[in-house]
Structures are given as C-alpha cells and as structure tokens.
C-alpha cells in the first residue's frame, strides 16, 4: 500500500516540538533546585534527557520536512499525543523512585507510593494536563506524596496546552511559517482562525504575549492578596500554579481541595480571569492595540457574557433559596447568605462554562437540579479562539439562529435569509460545518457514555449512575475536568478501569483538537490519494 | 516594508508569493474563497473586502503601508484604488491596467495621473514580450536589462543545433556573453566550463543584445529574422494590435487576421504597413490559401485560450515554422508548450514579473523569473558597501554562495564584459543570475 501522506515530515516536526519541550521542563527543574528536592531534580533531568533524545531522533527521520495540508493534520494530532506521552514521563519516573535518599539528612525527601507510577494513569494525568481538562487520577494531592517540582509541572502542562503547543511552535519555529495558518486552524478552538498580522508567526506570538501578560497579571494580584493578608494560603507557589491553570481553563490545583482552600477574596479574583480565559484572545490583542470597542461589540463575547450572567443568576437563586442544596456542609452556611450564594454560584458556573473545572466548594453537596444545570453548562464551552473546550459559544449562536431561520422559512418558503454574526453574513458551508461538528460532538458524547457503562459492567466497577457517566464523558470530551458524585471536584477518576481511562484519554485528545483533525486520520481516504 | 495588494487573482497572488518572504503582505479581495485559500497557502494576511472603499483599506492597514498594488482584473477599479489610497495616506501606488490609452494618459501627465506612481500595462508588456521573442526566434523567453544594453534569453537546444553535445567552453565563443544556467528536466544548474550541453536542455544566457543575437544564430542557424519574414498575427485584440504596431516600428510587415469586419477596418486604418484580413482564422481552407503554412511565425492573440490553442496547433499542422500563443491561464502554459506550441506567453506572469521587480529592494532594479521562480535574474546598482565593489570578480564570488553567476556589467550605459579579473566599481549595473535558495543571502551581500 502506498501512502499519499508524507508522514515523515509530520513526525520530524513533532520531533522538533518534543525537543523544544525540554525548555519548559527546565522550570520544574528550577523548582526542584529551589526546594532542594533531590528526587524532583532526578525526575526532570531524566525527562529532559529523554525529550532531547526522542525529539532529536524523530527530527532525523526527515531532515528537511515539507509540510502540506494533509501532513498538517497528522502533525497536530501526533504532537498532542507524543507531547502528552513525554510530559507524562515525570509522573512515572517520580512514582517509581526508590527513596533510598531518605538516609541522608538535610534533603527534603518525598515518600509515599503514587497512583501515577502506573503508565496509564500517568498518560491520563498528562493528557488531562495538556488538553486543559483537569480531570485527575492523582490519589493524594499533597507535598507528602509528590515533590513541589512535579506538582508545578502538572500546572505548567495546562498552561502550555491552553494557548496551544502548536501555536507556540508556530511562534518560534520558522519552518512552520507557511503551513502555520493551517496548523493553528487544526489546533485552535472554534471554527477558523483570525490572522491578526500579515505573518502567522507574529499572530501566534501576539496571542501568546496576550496570554502571558494576563497570566502574569493574575499571579501578581493573587500574590498581592497574600501579601496583604487577605488570602493566607495563596503563597507565591500557589499564585503561580493557579495563574497557570486559570488562564488555560485547566483546573488542576496543587491543593487537594482546589480553590475551596482559599479565601473569598482569592475566589473573587479568580472569577474574572476565568471569564477572560474563555474569551477570544484575538479580542484582547485588539484591546491592547487601542481598539477596546472591538471587544465590547463582538457578538460572541456579548452572548458569552449574557449566558454567564443568566445561568449564574439562576444558580444563585437555587442555592440561596436552599433549592439546590442537599445539605449545608460544615463551615458558614451558604443558603440564605447573599454573598456566598452569589460567589459559589458564579464561581462554579463560570468555572464549568469556561471548562476550567475549579471548585470553590464541593458541589457534590448540591442536589440534582443544580448538578444537571452544571452538566448542561459543560456542553456550552468558551468562545472560539479562547482556551476553553466543549462546543463553543459561537457554534451555539449559529445553531440557535438557524433554528429561528428554520421557523421563519417554514412560513415563508421563498425567503432567503443569510445567517448573520455580528453583522456579517455567514457562508452556508461554514454553517453546515458547525451543524456537522455539533452533531458529531453529541453522537460521540452519547456513544462514549454507553461504552463507559458497558466497560463498568465488564470490569465489575465502578457502579455508575447516569449523572456520573454523563458527566465523566462531558467533562473529558469538553476538557472541563471534574464530574459529579463519584468523580466530583474533591474526588478523582481512579475508580475507572484501564479501558475506560484509555477511552477518556482519547476523548480529551479529540475534544481539545475539536474532533475532526483526529478523526480525519482514521479515514482511508486520508491515507490514499 | 508593508505592502497591500488588492486583487488576489493570478497576478496578485503571484506578486504576493514573491514578496511574502521579505515583506509584510496584506492581500485584499472580494472573493471570500480566494481569501480563504490564500490565508492557508501563503504567509500573508488576506482580507475580504472592496479595495475601493476607505474602510477596507483602513482594515488592511493603509496607514502603515509603504506600497499598494492594485492588480484587479478591472482597469478602472485599479485606478480608483490608487486614487482612494492617496486620499488617506501617501503610499507608493502601482496600478495594473490593460488599456494602453490609460498608460498614454499617465505618461503624458507631468507627475503621473490618477494618483498612480507606477503604471504597468499588461497588453503593452505582452506585446513587447512577443516582439522580443519574434526577434530571437530560438528563444523561449527574453528580458531586457540595463535600459536594453543587456539581454537575458532562454533557449531550448534542439538535437540538430550545433551547440548540442558541446561543452560550455566550446559553445561559449562570444566575448560578451555569459552562460548563466542550464535547465535540465526542471532542475536549474550553474554551468561550468566542462558541462556538456545536451539536446532538450534549456540554456539561459546573459549578454549584450548583439551577442545574444549571434548566439541565437549559433543555436538555430536557419532562423534569422529579417524583413522578408512571414509574420502572421491571428486576432485583432489589443495585444494583437500592439504586437503588429511594434513590429511595424521595426520595419517588419506582419499580416493580421481579424474575424470582425468593423474591428478589422479600424485596425487597417491604424496599421499602415500591416496587411489586415477579415476572416475566421480557424478556416483551414483560408489559411492554406493565404499560405500561412509558409509563415515563419504565427502569433495567436485571440480572445480566449482555447481558440489560441486551436489556431496555433492548426498553423503548426499546416507547416508554420513557429507558433507563439497568448495564454491567459497560467495553468495551461506548460500544456501549450507540451503540445508543440513553441512559446506560450502569459500576460499575467509578464505583469507580475514587472511589478515584482519594481517592489524588490530599491537597488535591484530589474528582475526576471526563471522556471517558475526556481531562479531569478536581477539587475542591481552597486553601491560602496557591496561585496563586489573595487575588487576583481573572482575574489568577490568566493565570498558569495554557490548559485550566483555575474552575467553582465554596464558602466555609464556601456557594456563591460565580466571576466574573472574585471574590477567592479560603484555605480555599475550588474546583471546577475541567482538561485532562489540563496537569493536573500546574495541580496544582503551586494
């Protein structure tokens, strides 16, 4: 069989990306040095060595790669998979370290068996990181079990995956300049891309700069709260860690109790940053270029803010009136308390719609009316061009508008009504593409839920109810993170069998790349002429 | 610099492709599909919109633009685009027009007209191109440099040619001629003295017009253009008319066949030395009667590619020596040449070349593209800090990458033969052949 795809070129460029992955890997290495964590040091030195060797060997497959349209899909899909494998190595290495170092004094030693020593768990955690899902299989999230370096790497994977590994590669690798638009299109959330500048590499750099800038701002504000004594838990380590995963709509936290561990002030600061993370980054670029009107006028942005406001209000009422709470957990009561009702409802809703997945309280204590509202919110997603996952606001807008049009043309069969978004008429092919994507998304969602049930039967556990199964799929396919009940925000995905975990790894992968770039690789037509 | 190109047809896209490597290029077109395809195929910013409107031009960043190129298919639109651009800012404006009348108007005005700083006339350029090709019968492509003091020509070597199977050293019998490249099976190679020229190779030479002419005789001895040449132009299109007019200026007496009676009458009035005939050129019996079979050159300048293909093939079939056809669609150029048409001239390619050479770095004044951008011929005015200045060429070339040939030098308008020991001076014009791979490196050094 003759392949019509120059897979060597794709693999070679994946190699370049893996090679460059050694640069962000230096960050946890520095953390390990700073905290004197010898096992963290060993973990990351080993990983960097492997990344360099693997990257360099893959690069050698095609010394002068020439990327066509088809090779682009393969490169993007493979990049995410291979990077997740390499990024998962530290978990495996750290988890399998024999802590003979404990004999030495003055070395801070981390002991305790880790659930991530198992390769499938490590790949799950890594894929969940890079795809900014935030679903975890870390049994015990604490510095007793894991080094600070490793937990910071977990945060960093989300930050890298947020704006996109390939977008970052386009920004720094000159050989990707010409095919870059197509690569970014395959990776970027939402239909199509917007070139902001004549050169695609510059566009990629502009997006990353905006991303970096807003992340830095959040870190400064969070750490400022700590210095002002308003957020005792928000040390510099935590401020950096949460800055990484807020802007990426990731949701990992070095704290076992997620954002519940912090004061109300810290929670209020995180909310606008989650909202920003779910916004199209191109709009921030316009704002920085002195055109703030473009943000305010953007149809998708307005709809997005509207959805957040309306759903937050509904959820606030549910909680405030005690409708949505099964019981009031320990601590100050939420129901009947205006501020904390608004805060938890808004925080949770924004966290889910933007697909971040932080929890400001354990929403397992909420009843099914509130939980099903959140489950529905999992399918909404952020804006196109944001770091959010799921179906995306813009697609929902198009679908809603096309329903309206359908009703109108039933009455007036001869009417020609182009769909408009922000005053611009949409091409009918783009509309069809949006239908196809959204339907495919729902089909995959339902089929995967069925598979999850079947596998749970086969493996004799976990015993799932429908809310749990639906939320597991919605949370992984939509890159949200936590689900409900068994896999609620304070629990994890460990109960699932390996087969189910592999299914969810696959779902996170296709969910992040918006399905088509991965699925197209499975069609025979792709590989033949 | 930042360049805005309005009109993403063949000309616009081709210019965008040439410029995208070194400049920030913004392309504007009204056709959304073209905009989409450019977005993904070139590293340029493509915008959907009407280039004659202020809003679109502002979107394209006209305030930051150094140059705007209007290359839509419509003359008036292009003029309006340039005029519109001038109302916002003062970028350098280039307009592509087809009608020669506009060029005459523009030439006759003191400071240009319509807000156009540089005007390129497709029809005239194409006609000039055809006339050059007629003047050098064996040449497939001829470009003038240094105000006509230097010519670059591409010849196809046929099996019966005397230079076939000779080495370059043997074939190079002319003082002021340089072998710049040999193109074999689409690969561009820089010839050395011992390189053997094979049949079916294409040879690119640079030299004085006389030496190129002599070399043409050498390559194809039995085809010398002179006044008793039989030249037949088929199609009284604007291009056909200007081709005839330019040939008349060279004291040649072409025949022109035009189907439409009234148009034929107009042409006959404007072309005193041309025999204009009103007939359908696809009528084989008429062609035989008029002895088109004995024509040395048949130029097909009808309104569409298919007709041009048909009449060229027909004329070759009857026995015409050479057929030159105008091909509007660049995709067909190689196809035309494959079915036996000697030279296919694509007006859009000619125009894109002309505009591209204008937008190159200021000192590179003139440019021709070889084999679909595999190599370029540049004309550069040498300044004081060039790697070539005040030293023998032999020394300077060792500082340049492989893939460069110094083809010719003109000093104060006179031709200087480049030899290893020739010393290049500031202000000289150097015509050089450069492989595209090393173009940026060379441009920087010179």
């Amino acid at each position: 069989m003759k392949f019509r795809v120059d897979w060597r070129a794709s693999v070679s460029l994946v190699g370049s990306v893996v090679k460059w992955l050694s640069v962000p890997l230096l960050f946890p290495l520095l953390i390990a040095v700073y905290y004197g964590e010898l096992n963290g040091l060993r973990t990351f030195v080993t990983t960097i060595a492997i990344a360099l060797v693997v990257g360099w060997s893959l690069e050698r497959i095609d010394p002068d790669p020439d990327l066509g349209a088809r090779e682009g899909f393969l490169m993007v899909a493979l990049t995410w998979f291979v990077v997740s494998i390499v990024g998962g190595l530290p978990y495996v290495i750290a988890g399998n370290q024999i802590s003979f170092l404990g004999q030495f004094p003055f070395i801070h030693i981390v002991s305790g068996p880790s659930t991530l020593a198992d390769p499938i768990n490590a790949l799950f955690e890594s894929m969940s990181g890079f795809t900014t899902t935030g679903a975890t299989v870390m049994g015990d999230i604490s510095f007793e079990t894991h080094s600070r370096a490793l937990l910071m790497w977990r945060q960093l994977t989300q930050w890298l995956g947020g704006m996109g590994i390939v977008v970052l590669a386009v920004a720094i690798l000159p050989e990707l300049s010409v095919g870059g638009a197509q690569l970014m299109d395959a990776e970027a959330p939402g239909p199509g891309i917007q070139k902001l500048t004549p050169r695609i590499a510059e566009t990629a750099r502009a997006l990353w700069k905006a991303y970096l800038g807003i992340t830095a701002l959040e870190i400064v504000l969070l750490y400022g709260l700590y210095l002002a004594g308003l957020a005792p838990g928000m040390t510099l380590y935590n401020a950096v860690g949460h800055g990484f995963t807020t802007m990426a709509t990731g949701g990992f936290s070095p704290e076992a109790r997620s954002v519940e561990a912090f004061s109300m002030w810290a929670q209020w600061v995180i909310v606008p940053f989650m909202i920003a993370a779910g916004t199209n980054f191109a709009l921030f670029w316009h704002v920085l270029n002195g055109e703030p009107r473009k943000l305010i006028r953007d149809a998708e942005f307005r709809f997005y803010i509207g959805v957040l406001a309306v759903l937050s209000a509904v959820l606030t009422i549910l909680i405030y009136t005690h409708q949505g709470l099964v019981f009031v957990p320990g601590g100050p009561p939420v129901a009947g308390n205006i501020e904390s009702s608004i805060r938890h409802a808004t925080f949770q809703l924004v966290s889910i719609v933007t697909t971040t997945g932080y929890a400001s309280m354990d929403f397992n204590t909420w009843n099914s009316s509130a939980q099903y509202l959140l489950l529905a919110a999992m399918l909404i997603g952020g804006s196109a061009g944001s770091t959010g996952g799921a179906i995306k606001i813009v697609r929902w807008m198009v679908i809603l508008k096309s329903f309206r049009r359908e009703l109108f043309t039933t009455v007036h069969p001869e009417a020609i009504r182009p769909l408009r978004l922000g005053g611009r008429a949409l091409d009918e092919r783009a509309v069809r593409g949006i239908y196809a994507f959204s339907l495919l998304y729902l089909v995959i969602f339902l089929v995967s839920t069925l598979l999850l049930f079947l596998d749970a039967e086969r493996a004799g556990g976990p015993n799932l109810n429908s809310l749990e199964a639906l939320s597991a799929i919605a949370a992984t396919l939509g890159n949200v993170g936590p689900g409900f009940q068994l896999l609620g925000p304070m629990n994890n995905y460990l109960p699932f069998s390996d087969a189910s975990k592999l299914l969810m790894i696959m779902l996170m992968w296709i969910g992040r790349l918006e399905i088509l770039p991965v699925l197209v690789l499975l069609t025979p037509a792709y590989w033949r002429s | 610099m930042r360049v805005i190109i309005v009109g993403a047809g063949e000309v616009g896209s081709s210019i965008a492709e040439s410029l995208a490597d070194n400049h920030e290029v913004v392309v504007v077109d009204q056709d959304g599909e073209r905009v989409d395809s450019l977005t993904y195929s070139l590293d340029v910013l493509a915008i959907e919109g009407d280039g004659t409107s202020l809003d679109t031009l502002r979107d394209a960043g006209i305030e930051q633009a150094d140059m705007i190129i209007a290359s839509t298919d419509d003359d008036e639109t292009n003029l309006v685009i340039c005029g519109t651009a001038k109302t916002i800012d003062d970028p350098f404006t280039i307009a592509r027009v087809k009608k020669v009348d506009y060029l005459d108007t523009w030439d006759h005005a003191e400071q240009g007209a319509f807000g156009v700083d540089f005007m390129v006339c497709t029809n005239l350029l194409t006609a000039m191109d055809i006339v050059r090709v007629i003047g050098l019968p064996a040449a497939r492509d001829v470009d003038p440099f240094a105000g006509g003091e230097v010519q670059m020509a591409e010849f196809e070597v046929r099996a019966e040619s005397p230079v076939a199977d000779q080495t370059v050293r043997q074939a190079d019998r002319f003082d002021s001629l340089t072998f710049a490249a040999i193109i074999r099976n689409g690969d561009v190679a820089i010839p050395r003295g011992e390189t053997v020229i094979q049949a079916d190779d294409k040879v690119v030479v640079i030299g004085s017009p006389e030496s190129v002419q002599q070399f043409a005789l050498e390559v194809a001895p039995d085809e010398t253009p002179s006044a008793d040449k039989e030249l037949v132009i088929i199609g009284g299109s604007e291009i056909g008319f200007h081709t005839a007019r330019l040939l008349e200026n060279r004291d040649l007496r072409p025949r022109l066949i035009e189907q439409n009676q009234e148009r034929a009458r107009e042409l006959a009035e404007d072309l005193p030395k041309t025999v204009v005939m009103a007939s359908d050129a696809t009528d084989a019996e008429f062609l035989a009667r008029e002895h088109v079979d004995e024509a040395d050159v048949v130029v097909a300048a009808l309104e569409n590619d298919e007709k041009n293909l048909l009449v060229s093939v027909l004329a070759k079939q009857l026995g015409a020596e050479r057929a030159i056809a105008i091909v509007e669609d660049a995709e067909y150029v190689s196809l035309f040449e494959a079915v036996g048409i000697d030279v296919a001239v694509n007006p859009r390619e000619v125009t894109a070349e002309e505009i591209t050479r204008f937008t190159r770095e200021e000192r590179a004044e003139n440019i021709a593209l070889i084999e679909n951008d595999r190599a370029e011929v540049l004309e550069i005015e040498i300044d004081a800090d060039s790697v070539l200045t005040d030293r023998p060429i032999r020394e300077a070339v060792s500082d340049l990458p492989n893939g460069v040939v110094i083809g010719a030098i003109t000093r104060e308008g006179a031709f200087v033969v480049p030899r290893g020991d020739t010393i290049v001076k500031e202000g000289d014009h150097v015509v050089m052949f450069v492989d595209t791979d090393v173009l940026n490196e060379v441009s920087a050094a010179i």
Side-chain angles (χ1 to χ4, degrees):
Chain A
M1 163 161 186
K2 182 148 173 29
F3 285 151
R4 290 286 173 182
V5 181
D6 182 7
W7 59 271
R8 285 192 169 79
S10 316
V11 171
S12 159
L13 285 165
V14 172
S16 302
V17 176
V18 169
K19 197 177 73 177
W20 281 95
L21 191 64
S22 54
V23 176
L25 277 161
L26 290 171
F27 185 70
L29 189 68
L30 292 174
I31 300 271
V33 171
Y34 180 79
Y35 288 105
E37 297 172 323
L38 204 58
N39 58 346
L41 197 69
R42 252 193 333 184
T43 300
F44 287 99
V45 167
T46 317
T47 311
I48 288 172
I50 294 173
L52 287 173
V53 170
V54 168
W56 184 78
S57 334
L58 292 179
E59 262 188 333
R60 290 289 304 272
I61 287 177
D62 183 353
D64 187 16
D66 181 20
L67 211 61
R70 284 192 186 187
E71 289 78 20
F73 285 121
L74 185 60
M75 183 224 154
V76 173
L78 269 184
T79 296
W80 282 79
F81 208 85
V82 176
V83 161
S84 294
I85 292 172
V86 175
L89 290 174
Y91 303 128
V92 180
I93 296 169
N96 287 310
Q97 291 208 76
I98 305 152
S99 46
F100 73 99
L101 299 161
Q103 318 155 29
F104 302 105
F106 68 81
I107 290 172
H108 172 75
I109 177 70
V110 174
S111 59
S114 150
T115 50
L116 296 184
D118 172 52
I120 289 193
N121 283 348
L123 180 60
F124 185 100
E125 197 75 11
S126 178
M127 185 62 89
S128 170
F130 282 109
T131 57
T132 72
T133 305
T136 187
V137 286
M138 235 181 206
D140 171 30
I141 304 173
S142 72
F143 296 142
E144 275 64 65
T145 318
H146 303 284
S147 65
R148 283 182 166 77
L150 191 73
L151 282 170
M152 187 51 89
W153 172 241
R154 186 167 165 257
Q155 301 300 98
L156 185 61
T157 55
Q158 297 212 311
W159 193 71
L160 291 172
M163 192 39 73
I165 307 165
V166 174
V167 178
L168 188 55
V170 170
I172 55 176
L173 300 178
E175 62 260 40
L176 293 180
S177 65
V178 172
Q182 196 233 338
L183 296 179
M184 277 170 67
D185 195 15
E187 186 190 69
I193 56 158
Q194 279 175 290
K195 274 193 188 179
L196 303 171
T197 57
R199 298 217 174 277
I200 192 75
E202 238 172 84
T203 298
R205 279 195 286 269
L207 291 172
W208 265 91
K209 274 181 198 153
Y211 184 53
L212 184 71
I214 301 173
T215 306
L217 179 66
E218 187 189 0
I219 291 171
V220 167
L221 288 180
L222 287 176
Y223 190 52
L225 285 179
Y226 171 78
L227 294 179
L230 293 171
M234 196 50 86
T235 56
L236 184 58
Y237 182 93
N238 267 333
V240 171
H242 288 86
F244 280 165
T245 54
T246 309
M247 283 322 291
T249 65
F252 274 159
S253 168
E255 295 287 340
R257 305 289 300 171
S258 186
V259 183
E260 195 188 39
F262 302 111
S263 67
M264 59 178 272
W265 298 104
Q267 293 179 1
W268 273 123
V269 164
I270 288 172
V271 169
F273 284 99
M274 289 196 290
I275 295 174
T279 306
N280 187 340
F281 272 78
L283 295 173
F284 292 132
W285 185 82
H286 288 305
V287 171
L288 294 174
N289 274 353
E291 295 181 282
R293 285 224 312 258
K294 285 208 170 169
L295 174 70
I296 310 298
R297 280 199 192 157
D298 184 73
E300 187 184 15
F301 180 71
R302 295 164 79 144
F303 193 83
Y304 164 67
I305 296 296
V307 166
L308 291 179
V310 169
L311 292 182
S312 301
V314 171
L315 197 55
T316 304
I317 292 165
L318 280 179
I319 293 176
Y320 180 71
T321 56
H322 222 302
Q323 298 291 320
L325 283 170
V326 179
F327 61 90
V328 179
V334 175
N337 176 329
I338 281 270
E339 188 276 334
S340 56
S341 301
I342 295 179
R343 175 159 47 91
H344 289 305
T346 309
F347 188 100
Q348 222 42 75
L349 200 278
V350 168
S351 165
I352 295 288
V353 169
T354 61
T355 74
T356 307
Y358 283 148
S360 61
M361 69 179 285
D362 188 350
F363 48 79
N364 270 353
T365 61
W366 301 1
N367 74 6
S368 43
S369 66
Q371 292 198 352
Y372 272 100
L373 179 68
L374 288 181
L375 178 69
M378 281 184 181
L379 295 176
I380 298 173
S383 313
S386 73
T387 61
I391 291 184
K392 311 272 179 319
I393 299 280
V394 69
R395 292 200 180 94
W396 285 114
M397 287 172 78
V398 170
I399 290 166
L400 291 174
K401 281 171 188 272
S402 75
F403 287 167
R404 276 212 341 237
R405 173 169 72 173
E406 233 26 70
L407 293 175
F408 187 88
T409 48
T410 312
V411 185
H412 305 278
E414 289 81 13
I416 302 285
R417 307 242 319 178
L419 288 182
R420 291 176 191 283
L421 260 188
R424 288 195 59 161
L426 282 177
D427 188 57
E428 289 306 315
R429 274 183 321 176
V431 177
R432 269 209 307 278
I434 286 171
Y435 290 162
F437 174 88
S438 310
L439 260 174
L440 189 61
Y441 192 94
L442 294 175
V443 167
I444 289 178
F445 172 56
L446 295 170
V447 169
S448 304
T449 307
L450 179 66
L451 287 175
L452 202 65
F453 270 123
L454 290 174
D455 186 62
E457 287 289 324
R458 180 195 63 84
N463 191 1
L464 294 171
N465 65 31
S466 58
L467 180 63
E468 285 165 344
L470 286 168
S471 74
I473 301 300
T476 47
L477 181 60
N479 303 136
V480 181
F484 301 108
Q485 296 169 14
L486 174 71
L487 27 128
M490 308 305 164
N491 308 339
N492 57 45
Y493 282 69
L494 275 174
F496 289 103
S497 72
D498 278 357
S500 292
K501 281 179 195 157
L502 285 171
L503 169 71
M504 288 191 244
I505 288 170
M506 174 88 186
L507 291 178
M508 291 191 268
W509 183 37
I510 64 175
R512 174 60 182 83
L513 297 180
E514 306 216 307
I515 303 175
L516 297 171
V518 182
L519 283 201
V520 76
L521 304 182
L522 307 178
T523 57
Y526 171 87
W527 296 97
R528 286 195 232 113
S529 52
Chain B
M1 59 181 175
R2 196 182 177 103
V3 183
I4 298 175
I5 299 171
V6 185
E10 275 177 41
V11 177
S13 310
S14 161
I15 297 169
E17 192 169 359
S18 312
L19 299 183
D21 286 345
N22 302 320
H23 303 289
E24 294 202 334
V25 180
V26 182
V27 182
V28 178
D29 199 294
Q30 282 179 302
D31 180 348
E33 282 187 23
R34 272 190 201 160
V35 167
D36 274 353
S37 77
L38 273 186
T39 297
Y40 294 116
S41 62
L42 295 179
D43 194 11
V44 300
L45 176 61
I47 295 176
E48 191 179 336
D50 177 356
T52 56
S53 85
L54 288 175
D55 284 348
T56 308
L57 290 180
R58 286 213 177 91
D59 273 350
I62 187 87
E63 282 95 346
Q64 300 100 49
D66 304 288
M67 181 181 284
I68 179 162
I69 300 169
S71 63
T72 69
D73 245 349
D74 184 81
D75 289 3
E76 292 75 12
T77 305
N78 290 337
L79 299 179
V80 171
I81 289 166
C82 291
T84 310
K86 286 286 188 196
T87 62
I88 308 180
D89 204 27
D90 190 22
F92 191 91
T93 52
I94 298 180
R96 159 198 173 198
V97 298
K98 292 198 199 73
K99 262 176 86 166
V100 183
D101 292 359
Y102 290 138
L103 184 68
D104 289 343
T105 309
W106 184 76
D107 271 338
H108 130 97
E110 282 283 316
Q111 300 237 298
F114 318 116
V116 176
D117 295 321
F118 178 65
M119 192 180 273
V120 178
C121 175
T122 307
N123 290 343
L124 190 61
L125 277 177
T126 311
M128 286 160 83
D129 215 45
I130 292 169
V131 170
R132 266 199 304 274
V133 172
I134 292 174
L136 286 169
R140 300 166 46 87
D141 187 9
V142 186
D143 281 291
F145 288 91
E149 288 295 324
V150 178
Q151 268 189 341
M152 180 216 85
E154 187 183 323
F155 293 97
E156 184 159 6
V157 179
R158 312 217 169 146
E160 63 269 20
S161 162
V163 296
D165 303 320
Q166 290 186 336
T167 62
V168 169
R169 200 184 311 283
Q170 289 168 316
D172 190 359
R173 286 182 283 273
F174 307 101
D175 237 13
S176 43
L177 186 83
T178 310
F179 278 75
I182 291 182
I183 298 158
R184 191 168 297 164
N185 311 329
D187 286 334
V188 177
I190 305 289
R192 314 214 170 287
E194 52 279 4
T195 310
V196 177
I197 302 170
Q198 298 174 0
D200 294 336
D201 281 358
K202 292 175 199 151
V203 184
V204 178
V205 296
I206 299 173
S208 65
E210 300 78 27
S211 62
V212 172
Q213 193 77 40
Q214 283 172 309
F215 181 74
L217 279 176
E218 193 64 41
V219 173
D222 49 359
E223 303 173 24
T224 46
S226 63
D228 57 0
K229 276 276 154 197
E230 275 289 344
L231 305 173
V232 180
I233 300 167
I234 299 173
S237 59
E238 178 104 349
I239 295 175
F241 164 70
H242 284 286
T243 306
R245 189 175 59 83
L246 293 170
L247 289 170
E248 280 189 358
N249 293 350
R250 294 183 162 214
D251 286 336
L252 294 166
R253 293 175 172 272
R255 284 188 290 164
L256 198 156
I257 302 169
E258 162 61 43
Q259 197 169 358
N260 179 312
Q261 287 282 354
E262 282 170 36
R263 173 75 181 158
R265 168 90 204 167
E266 270 174 49
L267 291 167
E269 286 170 9
D270 291 342
L271 296 167
K273 297 182 196 164
T274 304
V275 179
V276 179
M277 290 176 283
S279 168
D280 178 3
T282 53
D283 176 353
E285 192 249 341
F286 159 80
L287 293 178
R289 194 159 24 107
E290 285 297 337
H291 297 298
V292 172
D293 54 317
E294 290 167 23
D296 296 288
V297 181
V298 173
V299 178
L302 290 159
E303 296 297 342
N304 72 44
D305 289 356
E306 293 78 1
K307 280 187 178 168
N308 281 340
L309 181 68
L310 188 65
V311 299
S312 319
V313 171
L314 202 57
K316 289 285 279 191
Q317 193 77 32
L318 287 170
E321 191 67 37
R322 302 176 69 223
I324 300 171
I326 292 164
V327 190
E328 290 288 346
D329 188 336
E331 302 276 317
Y332 292 165
V333 170
S334 47
L335 177 74
F336 271 49
E337 292 182 347
V339 298
I341 287 153
D342 300 87
V343 182
V345 177
N346 178 296
R348 293 191 166 85
E349 190 184 345
V350 174
T351 311
E353 267 187 27
E354 180 79 4
I355 294 177
T356 305
R357 80 165 177 80
F358 210 87
T359 49
R360 288 283 158 164
E361 282 184 55
E362 289 151 38
R363 287 177 306 108
E365 298 175 12
N366 201 332
I367 171 165
L369 305 174
I370 309 264
E371 284 294 301
N372 307 334
D373 290 5
R374 302 292 283 281
E376 294 188 8
V377 178
L378 300 174
E379 178 187 336
I380 295 176
E381 185 173 334
I382 299 298
D383 57 14
D385 49 14
S386 160
V387 70
L388 294 172
T389 315
D390 296 331
R391 54 199 291 209
I393 288 179
R394 190 176 300 115
E395 265 182 52
V397 166
S398 60
D399 291 347
L400 289 170
N402 286 339
V404 184
V405 176
I406 308 279
I409 303 172
T410 56
R411 188 166 299 161
E412 284 152 17
F415 192 90
V416 177
V417 180
R419 300 208 173 288
D421 50 8
T422 309
I423 295 178
V424 180
K425 293 199 169 66
E426 195 181 335
D428 286 0
H429 283 226
V430 174
V431 178
M432 58 201 321
F433 175 94
V434 185
D435 198 319
T436 312
D437 298 340
V438 295
L439 184 66
N440 293 343
E441 203 177 333
V442 174
S443 301
I446 292 194

